[in-house]
């Protein structure tokens, strides 16, 4: 709602417009008051311009921030992991917690339950599988999962199911430390409605996080796209490789593929900690890409500057690499060390193929 007055008493005209942000519909753009519909998560600016019909014009703007709704996904029983716990005699209760996340993820499989990792450092010696519908949370960077798993092509924590499964869960407030021994940090595959937020992921050998609609690690569009995925308020450091014995190509701190409507926002992803020629990039496609309606906004993405004399020498000159996507919006990001690399991008059913706006890029 806007108000305006004219000292001469001239009749006034009103004109609302959207001057920044994603798609939106102004219901009554020529009125002093209007409704706005069709907003997705993101930051928008709406401007009201008023004229007096005699050449006098004034305007003012309103900033609107739309956030993803916070929904309690897991409202069932809570089980605890503590450095003072016991995997043999413990029951997982607050009074008798378990000692390892391996024990907790094996024992807790009922949808709606939560595994809570108390403050402390937990050395995980075996790969973990989180059941669908089970939430995993900690107490922030003081809840540290330190991995000694050394198997190639596998994660410390897997949240994987057949394509089209409703994961209905979140993983949050934990620190994952791969010690540059463990190949991947977290893999979410085949599941929809999964949120990863307020995590710190550091020092994984090959990739930090993978979120994909496929369940077979093959390239191509999934039979069913994963919907309702979100990755936000996370920090990913030194978890993307380039030029390793497993292949001379770039990996991502975050890798996404086969998703529809996924939101990636508020993250800090940095890959400049390895020797020249061994750093991947902050964000890359997974399983060939094939994302639809992807929104990447409000992130800080940093990569070691490109120093090669020809493409592929010591890496490449981009921070984000995507293939075969439709309707991607990339905005309000701070990017350093390269650009946005888009390949075979198409419009599909979206109003745009690729919309890059209001970012800060530096080399």
């Amino acid at each position: 709602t806007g108000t305006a007055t004219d000292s001469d008493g001239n009749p006034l005209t009103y004109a609302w417009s959207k001057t920044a942000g994603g798609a939106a519909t102004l219901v009554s753009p020529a009125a002093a008051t209007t409704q706005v519909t069709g907003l997705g998560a993101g930051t928008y600016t709406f401007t009201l311009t008023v004229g007096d019909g005699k050449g006098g014009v004034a305007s003012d703007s309103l900033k609107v921030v739309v956030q993803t709704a916070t929904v309690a996904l897991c409202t069932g029983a809570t089980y605890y992991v503590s450095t003072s716990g016991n995997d043999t005699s413990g029951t997982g209760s607050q009074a008798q917690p378990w000692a390892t996340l391996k024990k907790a993820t094996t024992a807790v499989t009922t949808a709606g339950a939560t595994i809570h990792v108390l403050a402390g450092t937990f050395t995980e010696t075996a790969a973990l599988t989180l059941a669908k519908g089970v939430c995993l949370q900690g107490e922030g960077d003081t809840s540290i999962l330190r991995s000694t798993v050394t198997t190639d092509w596998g994660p410390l924590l897997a949240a994987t199911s057949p394509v089209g499964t409703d994961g209905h869960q979140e993983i949050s407030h934990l620190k994952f430390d791969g010690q540059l021994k463990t190949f991947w940090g977290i893999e979410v595959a085949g599941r929809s409605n999964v949120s990863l937020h307020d995590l710190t992921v550091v020092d994984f050998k090959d990739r930090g996080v993978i979120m994909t609609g496929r369940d077979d690690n093959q390239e191509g569009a999934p039979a069913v796209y994963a919907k309702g995925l979100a990755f936000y308020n996370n920090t990913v450091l030194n978890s993307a490789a380039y030029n390793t014995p497993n292949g001379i190509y770039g990996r991502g701190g975050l890798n996404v593929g086969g998703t529809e409507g996924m939101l990636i926002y508020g993250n800090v992803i940095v890959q400049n900690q390895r020797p020249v020629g061994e750093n991947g990039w902050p964000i890359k496609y997974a399983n060939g890409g094939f994302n639809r309606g992807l929104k990447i906004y409000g992130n800080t993405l940093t990569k070691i500057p490109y120093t090669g004399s020809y493409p592929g020498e010591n890496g490449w000159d981009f921070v984000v690499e995507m293939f075969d996507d439709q309707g991607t919006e990339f905005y309000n990001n701070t990017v350093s060390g390269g650009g946005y690399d888009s390949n075979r991008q198409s419009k599909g059913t979206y109003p745009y193929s690729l919309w890059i706006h209001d970012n800060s890029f530096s080399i």
Side-chain angles (χ1 to χ4, degrees), residues 328-347:
T328 299
E329 186 177 8
F330 185 85
Y331 62 100
N332 289 349
N333 299 287
T334 300
V335 182
S336 118
Y340 188 108
D341 179 57
S342 176
N343 305 270
R344 300 196 295 264
Q345 185 84 22
S346 60
K347 183 176 178 180

Side-chain angles (χ1 to χ4, degrees), residues 10-35:
N10 294 311
L12 301 176
T13 60
Y14 296 84
W16 283 97
S17 62
K18 178 179 66 66
T19 51
T25 300
L26 290 157
V27 178
S28 305
T33 298
T34 184
Q35 290 183 322

Side-chain angles (χ1 to χ4, degrees), residues 236-260:
V236 183
L237 306 174
N238 196 25
S239 296
Y242 181 82
N243 189 15
T244 76
N246 298 95
I248 303 176
Y249 58 89
R251 292 78 158 170
L254 171 64
N255 307 261
V256 295
T259 70
E260 185 171 338

Side-chain angles (χ1 to χ4, degrees), residues 208-222:
V209 177
I210 301 170
M211 300 184 78
T212 174
R214 295 195 68 102
D215 62 357
D216 57 3
N217 202 27
Q218 299 297 309
E219 293 198 359

